[in-house]
Amino acid sequence: MRILVTGGAGFIGSNFVYYELKNHPDDKIVCLDALTYAGNLHTLESAMQNDNFKFVKGDIADREAVYNLFEQEKIDIVVNFAAESHVDRSVENPEIFLKTNIIGTSVLLDACRKYGIRRYHQVSTDEVYGDLPLDRTDLFFTETTPIHTSSPYSSSKAAADLLVQAYHRTYGLPITISRCSNNYGPYHFPEKLIPLMISRALADESLPVYGKGENVRDWLYVEDHCSAIDLIIRKGKDGEVYNIGGHNERTNLEVVKTILKVLQKPESLITYVTDRPGHDLRYAIDPTKIHNELGWLPTTKFDDGIKKTIKWYLDNKPWWEEILKGDYQNYYEKMYGNR
Ligand code: NAD
Ligand code: TYD
C-alpha cells in the first residue's frame, strides 16, 4: 500500500508516520508537508533512514505540485493531517486557515478524483461540533451532533468536512472522516496547552491560564489517535464519520496542576489571563461507534499519558528548545504581552 501523509512533519502526522512504519513495514509512506512554523524536519530524522519513507516539501493548496506528486507516486490512500491547527492563531489571522484547511483539502480531493485512490481520509476535529455546557456532564458529541462551530479554525475544519462529504455524495469518492478530541504526547508544538505549560514550568516562568481555567477538554494520547486512524483507513466504511476520544475529561486547571505536581513546581506559577474570545467550554466525545464497528479502544489513561509525555519533554529538550529559540518567541510576546 502506498500512503500519502500530508502534514507529516507536524505533531500528529509525525506520530502517525512512525506508527505506520512500525506496524506496517511493507507499506510505503510519502509525506507532503509545507514546513510552516509548525512543521519540523528534525522530527522525521529517524523516518528518513527508512527506505519506505519519502519526504516531499510542498503545499497541499499548490495544485500543480499536488498533481505531479500523485502522478509520480501512484497513491492508494491519502491521510490529510495538513492544516493550520491553532485556535488562537485563527483568531488573530483567519485567512491562512481558509487557504490551507479548505482550499488545500479541495485540491487533494480533486487530485484523488483525477488519479483515483482507494481511500481519502480527512483528519478532522471534535471542535466542528462546537461546545457542550459545563454543567451537563451527561452530554457527549456523537457523529450525528450538528456542526456548530465557534472559531475560524473550527469553521475552516467544518467547511473541509462538508467538502469531503460532498465529494463522496457527488462523485462517489471513497472517503472517511475522523473527529478526534485534544491530543497530547511527543512532538507536540509548544504553543498548545500541555507542551507550553511543561516548557514554561521547567523554566520557572508564569503559566498563562485563560479565564478561570474551568474549560474542559477530552485528552487522548496521540498514539491512540494514530491506532484509530490506522483502523479506519484499512477497515472503515466508505462515506462514514468516526468520532475518536477516550473519556479523559479534565479542566485546564486540573491539567496545569497535574503538570506542576509531576515536575515538583509551585502552583504560584499559575497566572490567570484574559480569556480566549469565543472560548469553547467543554469538549467530550462518545466513541461508541468506532468501538462497536472497528473494535477500537484507547490504551493510555490520562494519568499515565501525561507522565510519559512529561518524561519525553525532559528527555528531548533539544527538540523543543530549538523551537523556542526561533520565531516562536516573538509569537509568545505578541499573544501574551498585553494579556
Ligand atoms: P500541527 O500544527 O502540529 O501540524 C500541522 C502540519 O501541517 C505541520 O507540519 C505543517 O507544516 C503542515 N502544513 C500546514 N499547512 C500546510 C500546507 N498548506 N501544505 C502542507 N503542509 C502544511 O497540527 P496537529 O496538531 O498535528 O494536527 C494535525 C491534524 O489533526 C489537523 O488537521 C488538526 O485539525 C487535526 N486535529 C488535531 C488535534 C490536536 O489536538 N492537535 C485534535 C483533533 C484533530
Ligand atoms: P489548546 O491546546 O490551544 O487546544 P484547543 O484550543 O484546540 O482545545 O488549548 C487547550 C485549552 O487550554 C483551551 O481551553 C485553551 C486553554 N489554554 C490556556 O488556558 N492557556 C494557554 O496558554 C493555551 C495555549 C491554552
Side-chain angles (χ1 to χ4, degrees):
M1 205 82 85
R2 299 173 70 82
I3 305 178
L4 174 65
V5 177
T6 68
F11 166 43
I12 310 174
S14 60
N15 277 281
F16 184 75
V17 165
Y18 286 116
Y19 185 92
E20 292 298 295
L21 290 175
K22 184 172 161 210
N23 292 288
H24 303 282
D26 295 333
D27 287 350
K28 164 117 197 218
I29 308 288
V30 179
C31 168
L32 174 67
D33 196 298
L35 297 181
T36 67
Y37 81 93
N40 187 346
L41 259 196
H42 288 303
T43 305
L44 292 173
E45 262 162 13
S46 315
M48 302 280 194
Q49 314 297 319
N50 191 318
D51 288 341
N52 277 338
F53 177 79
K54 179 175 173 183
F55 179 81
V56 179
K57 184 173 184 300
D59 186 336
I60 57 164
D62 179 344
R63 194 171 286 274
E64 199 184 331
V66 169
Y67 284 11
N68 285 340
L69 184 73
F70 272 72
E71 194 153 335
Q72 279 161 22
E73 297 295 341
K74 312 273 179 281
I75 299 298
D76 297 304
I77 297 178
V78 177
V79 186
N80 182 26
F81 291 94
E84 287 293 332
S85 68
H86 191 36
V87 173
D88 292 329
R89 286 181 188 255
S90 82
V91 174
E92 289 294 302
N93 178 18
E95 194 175 351
I96 183 70
F97 285 74
L98 309 189
K99 179 164 183 245
T100 292
N101 300 2
I102 307 174
I103 304 293
T105 297
S106 79
V107 169
L108 290 172
L109 291 168
D110 284 339
C112 290
R113 276 189 71 209
K114 186 168 158 70
Y115 294 96
I117 33 110
R118 289 199 202 184
R119 171 64 59 76
Y120 173 91
H121 182 73
Q122 178 73 359
V123 181
S124 185
T125 165
D126 61 356
E127 300 193 27
V128 301
Y129 299 121
D131 62 354
L132 297 163
L134 290 176
D135 60 357
R136 289 291 308 274
T137 49
D138 56 317
L139 296 180
F140 296 90
F141 297 136
T142 71
E143 289 78 1
T144 55
T145 300
I147 302 281
H148 185 81
T149 55
S150 313
S151 69
Y153 162 67
S154 55
S155 304
S156 67
K157 293 294 290 184
D161 282 13
L162 294 176
L163 263 182
V164 172
Q165 287 175 315
Y167 272 61
H168 176 64
R169 170 86 188 239
T170 305
Y171 306 114
L173 200 73
I175 64 96
T176 38
I177 297 174
S178 53
R179 296 182 179 144
C180 189
S181 57
N182 287 59
N183 284 213
Y184 67 104
Y187 302 119
H188 202 178
F189 195 82
E191 68 180 350
K192 305 282 173 67
L193 181 74
I194 289 180
L196 179 83
M197 297 300 168
I198 296 172
S199 60
R200 290 186 67 82
L202 284 171
D204 295 309
E205 289 170 341
S206 64
L207 307 187
V209 170
Y210 297 167
K212 293 188 192 145
E214 289 172 338
N215 304 61
V216 171
R217 297 293 182 264
D218 182 359
W219 293 97
L220 186 72
Y221 193 64
V222 62
E223 205 178 332
D224 283 326
H225 188 186
C226 295
S227 71
I229 294 174
D230 182 62
L231 266 180
I232 295 169
I233 60 174
R234 291 163 199 278
K235 301 200 175 126
K237 223 171 110 199
D238 282 347
E240 293 292 311
V241 174
Y242 296 92
N243 282 357
I244 308 172
H247 292 300
N248 281 293
E249 287 179 52
R250 295 286 186 284
T251 66
N252 293 338
L253 205 51
E254 282 171 331
V255 170
V256 173
K257 285 185 177 173
T258 305
I259 291 169
L260 288 171
K261 197 166 166 208
V262 176
L263 290 176
Q264 296 181 306
K265 297 284 183 180
E267 289 187 5
S268 56
L269 287 177
I270 295 173
T271 19
Y272 296 93
V273 301
T274 311
D275 210 350
R276 169 187 284 173
H279 198 172
D280 279 336
L281 293 172
R282 171 174 169 255
Y283 303 143
I285 285 275
D286 175 355
T288 307
K289 177 174 172 179
I290 188 167
H291 175 59
N292 287 349
E293 290 188 14
L294 304 179
W296 177 83
L297 275 178
T299 57
T300 302
K301 292 234 175 335
F302 184 77
D303 291 340
D304 301 325
I306 193 73
K307 285 188 196 128
K308 268 206 275 188
T309 302
I310 291 172
K311 183 172 182 320
W312 188 89
Y313 278 83
L314 287 169
D315 293 344
N316 292 274
K317 273 190 176 177
W319 182 86
W320 53 269
E321 282 175 346
E322 274 297 302
I323 294 171
L324 292 183
K325 270 191 237 144
D327 191 34
Y328 181 64
Q329 269 184 334
N330 307 332
Y331 165 80
Y332 192 87
E333 270 310 303
K334 188 174 162 226
M335 295 304 290
Y336 298 92
N338 298 320
R339 270 180 122 128

